[in-house]
Amino acid sequence: MKITDLRCAVIGGSPIVRLITDEGIDGYGQIESSKPYLRPVVEMYRDFLVGEDPTDVERCMLKIRRFAGFKPWGSAVSAIEFALWDIMGKAAGLPVYKLLGGKVRDRVRVYNGGVRPKLAGHTPADYAANMRQMKAAAESFTLIKQGVAFHGAMATNVPDFSYGELRTGPRNPNRGGLTERGFNHVVECVTAMKEVLGDEVGLALDMGPGWSVADAIRVAQVLEPLQIAWLEDMLTGDYVPWVHPELYREVTVATSTPIHTGEQIYLRHNFKQLIDTQAVRVIGPDPCDVGGMAELKWIAEYADLHGISIAPHGVLDGLLGLAALVQVSATLPDNFIAFEYPVAEPNWWYSIVEGLPNPIVQDGFIEVWDRPGLGVEFIVAEARRYLDPADATFFDD
């Protein structure tokens, strides 16, 4: 079997990778819906892969893996890896989890980071009301993540929140020391949310990046009685192309509250110091950014040897990304907590693919399916309706 073409089309904001072979078996991968600008990056890899046997997944990956970097630049390589495993599974008649070593669980726990109504405001009462809505979601999540402080709009909507000069714009651009008022506001909002959830539903916090080490230590210590599942990306994180494991370790050893990072990190090599020094208690690589499913599994196993848990990121990964998360999470060791459940937007995405359970999530879990490859396929006649005219031939033979 040989790869004859690599194509990319942006569908609903998500760059979709299609690998075509000379045996009529195609593989698909997906990049986060926030990254439509990566289409030409995907197409750069065509000359690396045409003529290769896609079932030699690692040989193909060795050709392209070096040509990427931290989020968002690892996304193209990750999506291609999904497509390679999708082809491999279809050719073998096996789900991807079998090719990754077999499943150790029949259903995977997911946490809610995306089934989230809009906040009415940024007071403790607003956060409590939002948490009541999330707790009542039909998916019955057992773990919910909410953004506070520098992750989201709290910092720019609470007067005198920090000592830094606040910037506007996307991708959480702010950082700096918190004022006493800002610090207390974070604690009050978290306390209000936890009072709603009790011990029935766990609460994780997406908090940065942007905290100082001193403030991170203080807030982690103050929140210890609330049994928070983790504090995520306090120092570095989303779209920050470095890690600072030595600073994370300062925070981690100062508190019993689990500290978490990792969604932006590309490849196992960039997790090595973070894990070797036990700088955090939880890591959260995203299969759509870290280099793919096999890369994520390697990192999970290495973390397990060091007593570190894993809760993969995934909120914008889409339905093919969801399929990849289910497949790899089924194979992870016992340090697996849950993965972040992707919500597809626009909603018509659910009408252009088939193979997902209905409902997808029940009682906070997703049943692992056994269809070959990723187990999710485009309904081509429906998907064509959402193609840009310039991509009209994307699904053609």
Side-chain angles (χ1 to χ4, degrees), residues 35-52:
K35 303 171 185 171
Y37 51 86
L38 286 181
R39 172 180 175 158
V41 178
V42 173
E43 293 171 339
M44 178 192 77
Y45 295 102
R46 180 181 292 110
D47 291 343
F48 289 77
L49 295 171
V50 168
E52 291 293 328

Side-chain angles (χ1 to χ4, degrees), residues 76-268:
V77 168
S78 303
I80 290 169
E81 196 253 19
F82 291 2
L84 291 167
W85 283 115
D86 194 27
I87 291 172
M88 178 73 155
K90 291 170 180 174
L94 295 171
V96 168
Y97 77 75
K98 291 283 189 185
L99 307 176
L100 296 177
K103 63 182 176 181
V104 298
R105 52 186 63 84
D106 294 322
R107 59 180 191 158
V108 291
R109 187 186 303 271
V110 294
Y111 74 85
N112 181 11
V115 183
R116 178 183 295 150
K118 186 176 180 179
L119 279 162
H122 293 88
T123 68
D126 293 324
Y127 279 89
N130 188 258
M131 201 52 51
R132 277 190 286 273
Q133 291 175 288
M134 293 176 77
K135 184 179 181 181
E139 292 84 354
S140 300
F141 295 105
T142 60
L143 182 60
I144 294 171
K145 186 172 78 177
Q146 179 60 283
V148 297
F150 292 117
H151 196 93
M154 179 185 285
T156 53
N157 282 276
V158 175
D160 302 319
F161 183 82
S162 75
Y163 292 112
E165 181 178 346
L166 295 178
R167 305 176 184 93
T168 58
R171 310 292 187 259
N172 309 307
N174 291 300
R175 63 187 296 266
L178 269 63
T179 64
E180 184 176 357
R181 174 181 292 181
F183 185 95
N184 290 338
H185 186 82
V186 172
V187 174
E188 290 163 5
C189 289
V190 174
T191 302
M193 289 189 286
K194 193 57 188 167
E195 286 175 353
V196 170
L197 297 179
D199 62 2
E200 303 166 48
V201 179
L203 176 64
L205 300 173
D206 212 344
M207 301 190 77
W211 288 68
S212 69
V213 171
D215 285 343
I217 290 172
R218 287 196 302 137
V219 78
Q221 291 175 341
V222 168
L223 294 177
E224 284 177 350
L226 298 183
Q227 299 290 317
I228 302 300
W230 65 73
L231 309 183
E232 183 172 334
D233 285 353
M234 300 185 80
L235 310 179
T236 63
D238 200 16
Y239 290 95
V240 177
W242 56 83
V243 183
H244 283 332
E246 72 284 0
L247 301 184
Y248 268 111
R249 178 162 171 77
E250 282 193 52
V251 182
T252 289
V253 299
T255 181
S256 63
T257 303
I259 306 302
H260 171 302
T261 196
E263 72 177 74
Q264 86 284 14
I265 301 175
Y266 177 62
L267 297 184
R268 67 191 74 174

